[in-house]
Amino acid sequence: MKRIAVLTSGGDAPGMNAAVRAVVRCGSAYGLEVIGIRRGYAGLLEREFVSLGPRSVANVLHRGGTLLGTARCEEMKTPEGLRRGADSLEEASLDGLVAIGGDGTFRGAQALAELTHVHVVGIPGTIDNDVYGTDFTIGFDTAVNTGLDAIDRIRDTAEAHQRLFFVEVMGRTRGFIALDVGLAGGAEEVLVPEVRTDIDALCASIRTQFEAGKRASIIVVAEGDDAGRAFEIAERVGTKLEMDYRVCVIGHVQRGGAPTARDRLLASKLGSGAVRALVEGRTGVMVGELAGKVAETPFELTWSQQKELDMDMFHLMRTLAR
Ligand code: ATP
């Protein structure tokens, strides 16, 4: 292993830069040459390569977004696109590739590993935390803390006016962000795609809580909840309860910002683990963290297996909301 590349792909996530930095500096410590590929697989196809040394990644540890850029690249999903990607890797005389992203990114990574002699490993970087094989993805902790900050602020105004607030957080298919934000923020209810939302039961619970003396109610809604988006749910509940309500969609604010200490630590650990996996000759695996230890999972399991939402924590959220 002499020459490796690193790319970031899919949605950007705070901590991706910390992971790139760790790959570059650990690679350098092993005596490897490290190449950065701009704009994910789109840049791979267009051969947008840049040489990265330890100094190239100075001052990026604390920055959100991704210095390499990212993209969604539909062409990579076609046989022709994959062939172009494989040719780019081989013509650049690369021995290894580190792909940072979510399960879509790992599908592309697995295909490249099959088409070339290049060893390919992945690092989970996505705010959604929806990747099997790692307890946490890089960016999740920052997104949760950003959502939590919003909830804390909303609670101040909600309590002042005795109001019902619906706060929508990211999570098109999974409720990991919503559950953690809701539990940590003391939400009265959390609506996630994994649990069917019963509007009548929700209304009854809100009414009981106000009757028991609560001065405000905050309902955290994952954007992909089965009952619809926050505005839709709020209107149905508000009409049924004949109560005034407010809706706050946090949206893309959750994607940006400086990564938390936890995300920087995770990114540093996984960047180092990915380089070690390459140096030790492994390929076709995602390097994640399970029970505090670096753990490698075959790419295919990252999309064929579903990571479960912690239902004990979901029930705890309800117990603590009384
Ligand atoms: P996030 O969870 O943040 O959305 P992701 O990696 O899952 O991250 P995707 O948009 O699903 O995001 O995938 C990123 C890129 O990976 C795609 O734009 C495409 O280039 C590539 N990709 C996705 N699926 C495949 C596939 N089946 N085969 C080859 N490449 C793929």
Side-chain angles (χ1 to χ4, degrees):
M1 186 73 41
K2 290 203 172 74
R3 200 168 138 86
I4 65 170
V6 57
L7 60 78
T8 53
S9 159
D12 60 300
M16 278 183 161
N17 289 329
V20 170
R21 170 181 178 269
V23 169
V24 172
R25 292 193 173 170
C26 291
S28 164
Y30 279 109
L32 304 176
E33 190 184 343
V34 185
I35 306 295
I37 301 176
R38 293 197 192 280
R39 297 193 307 117
Y41 293 130
L44 173 65
L45 269 53
E46 302 301 327
R47 293 167 166 72
E48 294 177 29
F49 298 153
V50 46
S51 182
L52 295 178
R55 295 281 69 73
S56 326
V57 286
N59 257 319
V60 304
L61 183 61
H62 61 294
R63 286 213 227 138
T66 157
L67 71 117
L68 286 175
T70 181
R72 311 244 183 219
C73 172
E74 285 304 307
E75 198 184 340
M76 257 301 274
K77 298 182 183 168
T78 66
E80 301 74 36
L82 282 170
R83 189 64 260 165
R84 271 182 73 194
D87 290 346
S88 295
L89 287 179
E90 292 195 321
E91 282 163 26
S93 303
L94 289 164
D95 306 303
L97 171 68
V98 179
I100 306 171
D103 61 342
T105 297
F106 302 149
R107 285 175 193 257
Q110 174 63 22
L112 290 171
E114 287 168 9
L115 281 171
T116 64
H117 74 280
V118 178
H119 284 203
V120 187
V121 298
I123 296 177
T126 167
I127 62 166
D128 294 323
N129 202 27
D130 57 348
V131 180
Y132 180 85
T134 190
D135 290 336
F136 300 103
T137 55
I138 296 166
F140 173 68
D141 188 62
T142 306
V144 167
N145 277 289
T146 304
L148 186 58
D149 184 49
I151 296 275
D152 290 347
R153 289 163 191 266
I154 284 168
R155 188 169 292 285
D156 290 345
T157 168
E159 296 254 345
H161 293 279
Q162 300 216 350
R163 261 190 190 135
L164 177 56
F165 257 91
F166 292 81
V167 182
E168 184 179 286
V169 297
M170 283 196 160
R172 266 172 307 162
T173 56
R174 304 304 309 274
F176 292 104
I177 294 180
L179 178 55
D180 277 18
V181 167
L183 184 52
E188 274 58 41
E189 183 59 278
V190 175
L191 309 181
V192 291
E194 292 87 346
V195 180
R196 198 181 71 79
T197 296
D198 178 338
I199 298 288
D200 290 335
L202 175 61
C203 291
S205 147
I206 294 168
R207 192 179 287 121
T208 307
Q209 288 170 352
F210 273 104
E211 281 167 4
K214 285 221 177 208
R215 290 163 10 103
S217 184
I218 295 183
I219 317 296
V220 175
V221 185
E223 62 182 328
D225 187 63
D226 55 296
R229 299 289 296 258
F231 274 104
E232 207 176 321
I233 296 171
E235 199 190 339
R236 285 169 68 191
V237 172
T239 308
K240 214 172 173 78
L241 291 176
E242 295 180 354
M243 270 184 81
D244 196 16
Y245 63 85
R246 294 287 183 274
V247 179
C248 172
V249 177
I250 304 180
H252 279 77
V253 170
Q254 282 162 107
R255 267 197 192 285
T260 57
R262 248 176 191 283
D263 273 331
R264 297 182 204 192
L265 294 171
L266 181 65
S268 302
K269 192 169 172 180
L270 300 188
S272 152
V275 173
R276 190 175 332 112
L278 286 177
V279 168
E280 293 175 358
R282 291 187 289 284
T283 185
V285 293
M286 179 196 76
V287 179
E289 186 192 65
L290 292 172
K293 297 257 180 291
V294 172
E296 293 170 18
T297 301
F299 277 140
E300 204 186 324
L301 295 184
T302 66
W303 66 81
S304 62
Q305 302 288 308
Q306 165 136 311
K307 180 152 123 193
E308 297 302 330
L309 195 70
D310 187 339
M311 291 311 291
D312 288 342
M313 295 301 262
F314 187 81
H315 295 304
L316 177 61
M317 172 275 300
R318 284 196 167 157
T319 304
L320 298 182
R322 63 188 60 234

